[in-house]
Amino acid sequence: MPSFDTVLEPNFVELRNAADQANKEIGTRFDFKGSDARVELADKGKDKTLTLFADSDFQLSQVQDVLMAKLTKRGVDARFLDLSVKPEKLGGDKLKLVLPVKAGIDSDTAKKIQQLVKQSKLKVQAAIQGDTVRITGTKKDDLQAAMALLRKDVTDVPLSFNNFRD
């Protein structure tokens, strides 16, 4: 039975490279001279976070812009970052913004994918397996139609497809 897995996994090597390049640019820019502006990638097992530090709101937005530019240049989709988080005050004017990196499909998105597949009237089935969704069908054409459907309708997260079995 042909199948494939729908996953949400960023390229962590490129993520680290983008953070390093952002730090390099921040270190050379004149508007960041003498400030504590930087980007750190914290790796706690499966949970990875990007932490942005700056001296003011304006500098924090500049650090975020530099990071987004580097992520885009390295081919990492910005939708992997949860940008709805608010910055925290550290002391004085210093700010810290912790951006969690999304990896693995959460249960709400998995249920949404499963509902989309059911409502599509394609001859495929979707099964939630941990943080992936496995889609199985009898024909490869149906699976490719399911991929196209998911690419079109699920736009809030950058889905990728792997483990294609024939």
Side-chain angles (χ1 to χ4, degrees):
M1 194 102 157
S3 67
F4 68 88
D5 290 341
T6 305
V7 295
L8 179 66
E9 51 187 32
N11 186 342
F12 291 114
V13 173
E14 292 299 335
L15 195 65
R16 175 167 301 288
N17 289 342
D20 291 344
Q21 285 182 344
N23 278 330
K24 202 176 283 187
E25 181 174 328
I26 289 167
T28 59
R29 279 184 41 172
F30 179 76
D31 53 343
F32 290 118
K33 287 280 187 241
S35 72
D36 190 32
R38 67 185 186 282
V39 177
E40 290 179 358
L41 179 65
D43 186 0
K44 301 175 190 113
K46 278 191 94 169
D47 298 330
K48 294 187 178 11
T49 58
L50 279 168
T51 309
L52 284 61
F53 295 94
D55 292 342
S56 66
D57 283 330
F58 178 72
Q59 272 193 351
L60 189 64
S61 69
Q62 292 297 308
V63 170
Q64 191 171 350
D65 289 346
V66 168
L67 177 66
M68 290 303 161
K70 297 302 177 187
L71 285 172
T72 304
K73 196 176 268 187
R74 305 284 320 171
V76 178
D77 199 320
R79 294 178 293 175
F80 282 117
L81 301 179
D82 184 8
L83 297 174
S84 63
V85 204
K86 299 285 181 229
E88 310 170 17
K89 292 220 181 267
L90 290 178
D93 290 343
K94 303 218 183 284
L95 294 167
K96 170 174 124 177
L97 180 63
V98 179
L99 299 173
V101 179
K102 297 177 193 171
I105 298 175
D106 60 273
S107 62
D108 294 337
T109 309
K111 288 176 186 170
K112 180 181 173 185
I113 290 170
Q114 199 172 27
Q115 288 295 82
L116 273 171
V117 169
K118 276 185 183 176
Q119 292 169 356
S120 69
K121 304 289 189 222
L122 292 170
K123 290 187 169 51
V124 294
Q125 293 84 34
I128 300 171
Q129 297 180 339
D131 57 356
T132 66
V133 179
R134 174 155 296 160
I135 298 183
T136 57
T138 55
K139 296 181 190 166
K140 279 201 267 183
D141 292 342
D142 292 338
L143 292 178
Q144 289 173 338
M147 279 184 190
L149 173 80
L150 292 176
R151 279 194 187 105
K152 184 177 69 115
D153 289 343
V154 182
T155 58
D156 50 341
V157 289
L159 295 176
S160 55
F161 309 104
N162 65 12
N163 204 15
F164 196 91
R165 307 272 167 146
D166 206 4

